[in-house]
Amino acid sequence: MTVTLADVAARARVSPATVSRVLNGNYPVAAATRERVLRAVDDLDYVLNGPASSLAAATSDLVGILVNDIADPFFGIMAGAAQTEIGGQEGTGRAGGEKLAVVCNTGGSPERELTYLTLLQRQRAAAVILTGGALEDPGHIAAMTTKLAKLADAGTRVVLCGRPPLPGSDAIVASLAFDNRGGGRRLTEHLLTLGHRRIGYVAGPLERTTTRHRLEGHLAALAAAGLGDPAPSGAERGVGSGESHGEGRPGHEGQEGRGGHEELIVHGPYSRRAGYEATLELLRRAPDLTAVVAANDTVALGACAAVRDQGLRIPEDVSVAGFDDLPFSVDATPALTTVRLPLHEAGARAGRLAMGTETPPPGGIATITAELMARASTAPPRATGGRGRAD
């Protein structure tokens, strides 16, 4: 015979309304009462009718976490930490206010991002977490603003993690934005302090906020040292792959009409292959290059391989640096200089904000600090003579 909510209430000696409050997690209940209800649920093996419950309530027990690529540690770490907060950390096997977190892999496609949001809207998702940088396309921004407003109006909590605030939108509960500009600036300042002046930069895909902000930080450091313009030029941003991930090829922009450090910037996807090919291009353009800054740590691995394949040593001939401080960075040979973003902490905080168990930051926006991690892959440039060759 099917166990009902009334059966659980009778076993726990509480009202059916109290049982509902415990299972939905939407109303404070005394700890002793909550424990008694959950014990009755376990004893009777009661299963909440999820679809029927979601029809009666404003939202369901579903939380969507949108990522560009779950296989990328950058997104995997954030999604995993958020999922832990959403699903509960106790590991009791009980359902008492936790939610079901579903990871939605967009592959960097703006169309797929909107499709997932529509599907989550149809499922009356309790919350949505969007991770990583945003596409800087006016049409997509307008579509996202409209879609997120509909979700918020239906009671869905919307949280941005590692993504800047959406202009003109009041649908966001909280935006946890990484200080990509500050991190990019500190990384290049580190190289300048070591004595580097010819610094190549492997940028991410065009039209991505993360790409632009990190590049702006790099250029600001160069400008402060009297070595260039602090803003990306139209020529530098005009050519390259628009894909955010995958094994695409980097954009090899022409050098006509260029000056300063513009010839030392190449755009491409956030992939090892792109880092490899872009670094070969940079070394071809500038044989006197002494350092390469990569858009992220995965790109930096490709850059390191390209430097070695040219018979050059790291850091004796060319210093290499990345961004994000992914787990493999410290184990690279040599250990990779990078910028640490607290991905796990940010993901966990986004999970709590999505669940409503943490108060949103003032104004709904929090900037998460980026920390320079200086390691063995960067060193002062060679003082005299040509580059040495690796044995």
Side-chain angles (χ1 to χ4, degrees):
M1 189 172 74
T2 302
V3 177
T4 67
L5 191 77
D7 295 331
V8 175
R11 181 68 167 255
R13 302 186 306 281
V14 297
S15 69
T18 298
V19 174
S20 179
R21 289 168 180 168
V22 170
L23 296 179
N24 290 327
N26 58 5
Y27 195 85
V29 177
T33 302
R34 182 177 186 274
E35 177 62 27
R36 198 161 66 247
V37 169
L38 292 176
R39 188 180 301 115
V41 168
D42 287 345
D43 292 344
L44 297 174
D45 197 21
Y46 174 71
V47 177
L48 179 66
N49 187 332
S53 176
S54 65
L55 288 173
T59 59
S60 68
D61 285 336
L62 183 68
V63 175
I65 305 174
L66 273 65
V67 301
N68 278 9
D69 183 2
I70 193 60
D72 184 336
F74 177 86
F75 295 102
I77 292 170
M78 286 191 289
Q83 193 167 31
T84 298
E85 295 293 334
I86 293 164
Q89 301 188 40
E90 293 83 1
T92 62
R94 294 169 170 175
E98 299 85 353
K99 305 291 184 184
L100 174 64
V102 176
V103 177
C104 306
N105 202 71
T106 70
S109 165
E111 294 80 13
R112 200 175 302 170
E113 184 174 59
L114 287 167
T115 297
Y116 276 128
L117 290 175
T118 298
L119 293 172
L120 290 166
Q121 181 185 1
R122 291 175 184 171
Q123 295 296 319
R124 303 187 183 192
V128 170
I129 300 173
L130 295 100
T131 64
L135 181 67
E136 294 190 306
D137 173 74
H140 185 64
I141 291 172
M144 286 291 289
T145 300
T146 300
K147 178 60 66 178
L148 294 180
K150 290 181 178 178
L151 282 161
D153 288 345
T156 300
R157 298 175 64 85
V158 179
V159 178
L160 307 183
C161 183
R163 180 176 294 207
L166 188 63
S169 174
D170 58 0
I172 312 299
V173 169
S175 176
L176 307 179
F178 293 136
D179 184 17
N180 284 309
R181 285 192 189 89
R185 179 164 185 157
R186 281 187 284 278
L187 187 58
T188 299
E189 287 174 343
H190 164 69
L191 292 171
L192 291 169
T193 299
L194 290 174
H196 293 277
R197 293 299 180 268
R198 295 288 284 169
I199 304 171
Y201 192 93
V202 184
L206 290 163
E207 309 305 332
R208 289 278 169 179
T209 54
T210 300
T211 298
R212 179 169 62 84
H213 294 166
R214 292 180 183 184
L215 179 55
E216 285 175 351
H218 168 72
L219 294 174
L222 293 178
L227 296 175
D229 193 303
S233 72
E236 176 270 319
R237 288 175 57 85
V239 181
S241 168
E243 296 297 323
S244 63
H245 283 277
E247 292 297 304
R249 298 174 63 87
H252 292 166
E253 302 91 327
Q255 299 177 52
E256 294 182 9
R258 286 167 169 263
H261 287 261
E262 291 179 354
E263 67 171 327
L264 299 183
I265 300 171
V266 177
H267 283 274
Y270 289 123
S271 69
R272 182 187 180 280
R273 176 183 173 184
Y276 182 91
E277 294 184 351
T279 301
L280 291 181
E281 172 67 11
L282 288 170
L283 291 170
R284 183 194 66 78
R285 291 182 186 181
D288 59 340
L289 202 70
T290 64
V292 174
V293 175
N296 69 12
D297 293 341
T298 301
V299 174
L301 290 185
C304 289
V307 169
R308 291 195 185 95
D309 283 355
Q310 293 300 298
L312 302 172
R313 299 166 299 173
I314 304 170
E316 293 85 353
D317 299 314
V318 179
S319 290
V320 179
F323 207 111
D324 293 336
D325 195 28
L326 298 179
F328 60 76
S329 301
V330 72
D331 294 321
T333 304
L336 186 65
T337 290
T338 184
V339 172
R340 181 181 183 271
L341 295 178
L343 301 174
H344 186 276
E345 294 88 339
R349 187 176 182 186
R352 293 192 296 271
L353 288 163
M355 290 291 286
T357 57
E358 179 172 321
T359 303
I365 301 172
T367 300
I368 298 177
T369 302
E371 178 186 3
L372 174 68
M373 307 298 289
R375 298 188 179 120
S377 68
T378 53
R382 292 173 62 87
T384 59
R387 290 175 175 146
R389 308 292 294 185
D391 295 331

